[in-house]
């Protein structure tokens, strides 16, 4: 119960107002737009007041994506991630919902963050065969041990919540994924995402356009790993806050154990008090 109590506090704090792929020392103005009122969560011992305590381990990433449109090359910040280079999984990804677009084909390969392992390119990219990645998960971790551990790549910022095709493609970076048990990913977690998707249809900004703030994260296990490198988290959580079409603030949060589901189960809503403002 201690973990869940701490998790409830974390999620509440993550959506309270004050009070990259570009690796930075703290979340800077380039990606503050992905946090409610440009204020990052407070995670005791990890991230407080926007500053990372152990900067050798935890890396804020302003997730920058490079794409071409009508022969013009763009580099755009898509969402924000706090990445744990020891466990090789994200602590959380923060992102905004701006409407639903048509679902596009999934990319063949997931990307990585070059700067976590000495690269200089400030955008997410495909793996370099000549580099040994010691601070982040790679596709080979899942290829070698995924079937054995019955896990696949579980999004933090899910493709289904991304608007345009380029936004959807940007979610396929391994710094935005954890080893998620397949039956959980395709079962109750998917059910939860579809439920949240219904709620997000009510979310509007003060101009009437779709807008919501979301944070999705994972709680690492003590010793369960993929390929003897990548932590397989014990549980996953998600939370959102928005101004709805009834001109009231609303917020919800959910968590689920990252374990095999022999029967179809439902997500677990975290006790959440109604709020005038998130």
């Amino acid at each position: 119960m201690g973990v869940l109590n701490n998790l409830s506090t974390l999620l509440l704090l993550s959506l309270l107002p004050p009070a990259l792929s570009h690796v930075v020392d703290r979340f800077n103005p380039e990606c503050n737009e992905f946090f409610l009122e440009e204020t990052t969560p407070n995670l005791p011992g990890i991230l407080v007041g926007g500053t990372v305590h152990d900067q050798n381990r935890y890396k804020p990433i302003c997730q920058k994506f490079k794409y071409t449109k009508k022969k013009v090359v763009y580099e755009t910040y898509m969402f924000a991630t706090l990445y744990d280079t020891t466990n090789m999984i994200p602590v959380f990804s923060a992102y905004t919902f701006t409407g639903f677009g048509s679902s596009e084909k999934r990319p063949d390969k997931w990307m990585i963050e070059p700067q976590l392992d000495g690269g200089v390119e400030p955008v997410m990219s495909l793996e370099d065969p000549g580099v040994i990645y010691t601070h982040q998960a790679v596709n080979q971790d899942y290829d070698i041990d995924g079937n054995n551990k019955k896990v696949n790549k579980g999004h933090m910022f899910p493709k289904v919540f991304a608007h345009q095709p380029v936004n959807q493609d940007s979610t396929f970076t391994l710094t935005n994924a954890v080893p998620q048990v397949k039956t959980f990913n395709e079962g109750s977690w998917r059910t939860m995402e579809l439920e949240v998707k219904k709620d997000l249809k009510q979310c509007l900004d003060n101009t009437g356009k779709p807008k919501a703030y979301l944070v999705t994260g994972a709680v690492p296990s003590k010793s369960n790993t993929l390929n003897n490198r990548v932590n397989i988290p014990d549980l996953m959580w998600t939370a959102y806050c928005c101004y709805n079409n009834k001109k009231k603030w609303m917020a919800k949060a959910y968590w689920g154990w990252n374990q095999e589901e022999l029967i179809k189960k439902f997500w677990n809503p975290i006790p959440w008090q109604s709020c005038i403002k998130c």
Side-chain angles (χ1 to χ4, degrees):
M1 289 301 294
V3 171
L4 297 182
N5 288 338
N6 290 338
L7 181 59
S8 298
T9 302
L10 182 155
L11 292 175
L12 285 167
L13 288 172
S14 75
L15 291 173
L16 286 173
L20 347 315
S21 342
H22 178 195
V23 178
V24 292
D25 292 330
R26 57 182 290 148
F27 290 112
N28 52 30
E30 283 117 353
C31 60
N32 277 347
E33 65 180 285
F34 304 112
F35 299 96
L36 181 66
E37 295 196 355
E38 300 187 353
T39 302
T40 57
N42 282 323
L43 311 181
I46 299 176
L47 176 66
V48 178
T51 300
V52 176
H53 281 202
D54 185 349
Q55 295 184 4
N56 290 323
R57 174 174 179 175
Y58 298 103
K59 301 294 184 181
I61 305 174
C62 291
Q63 299 277 15
K64 185 186 282 187
F65 185 63
K66 185 176 182 179
Y67 63 97
T68 302
K69 185 177 181 180
K70 295 182 179 180
K71 299 183 179 180
V72 178
V73 177
Y74 297 89
E75 293 183 1
T76 304
Y77 291 109
M78 296 296 190
F79 59 102
T81 299
L82 182 62
Y83 195 77
D84 180 349
T85 60
T86 298
N87 284 319
M88 299 187 186
I89 59 172
V91 178
F92 66 77
S93 283
Y95 49 100
T96 54
F97 165 75
T98 57
F100 295 111
S102 59
S103 181
E104 301 294 322
K105 181 182 176 182
R106 298 165 69 96
D108 293 331
K109 287 285 187 179
W110 286 61
M111 296 172 284
I112 52 87
E113 173 47 59
Q115 290 185 320
L116 291 178
D117 282 285
V120 296
E121 186 70 19
V123 297
M124 60 182 79
S125 65
L126 296 176
E127 296 168 35
D128 184 338
V131 175
I132 297 176
Y133 295 95
T134 59
H135 296 91
Q136 61 189 305
V138 294
N139 287 282
Q140 190 177 34
D141 293 314
Y142 291 86
D143 295 341
I144 290 175
D145 206 21
N147 287 335
N148 181 48
K149 291 296 180 71
K150 299 181 180 180
V151 300
N152 55 18
K153 304 177 184 80
H155 280 84
M156 298 285 93
F157 176 14
K159 173 180 179 286
V160 70
F161 291 167
H163 189 196
Q164 301 296 333
V166 292
N167 303 93
Q168 296 173 20
D169 287 348
S170 75
T171 68
F172 288 85
T173 171
L174 290 171
T175 54
N176 182 49
V178 300
Q180 187 172 8
V181 175
K182 293 178 182 178
T183 53
F184 173 50
N185 191 359
E186 297 162 4
S188 60
W189 189 256
R190 174 173 170 76
T191 300
M192 177 277 296
E193 288 182 335
L194 294 175
E195 187 71 16
V196 172
K197 185 175 180 179
K198 292 178 185 177
D199 289 347
L200 293 180
K201 292 178 181 179
Q202 306 175 51
C203 296
L204 304 172
D205 64 15
N206 56 13
T207 67
K209 295 180 180 179
K211 188 65 172 287
Y213 295 87
L214 299 96
V215 185
T216 301
V219 177
S221 63
K222 288 185 178 180
S223 58
N224 189 15
T225 61
L226 177 72
N227 197 26
N228 295 315
R229 286 178 12 108
V230 183
N231 189 278
I232 300 175
D234 278 340
L235 63 83
M236 296 171 61
W237 55 267
T238 195
Y240 76 85
C241 183
C242 74
Y243 196 62
N244 67 17
N245 51 15
K246 296 180 181 178
K247 298 184 178 180
K248 292 183 178 180
W249 285 94
M250 66 177 190
K252 287 184 181 178
Y254 306 93
W255 66 271
W257 295 109
N258 186 30
Q259 61 188 17
E260 190 147 9
E261 297 181 348
L262 300 179
I263 59 174
K264 187 173 182 180
K265 297 186 294 184
F266 204 53
W267 36 261
N268 301 284
I270 291 176
W272 194 275
Q273 295 181 349
S274 59
C275 56
I276 298 175
K277 190 172 183 181
C278 303

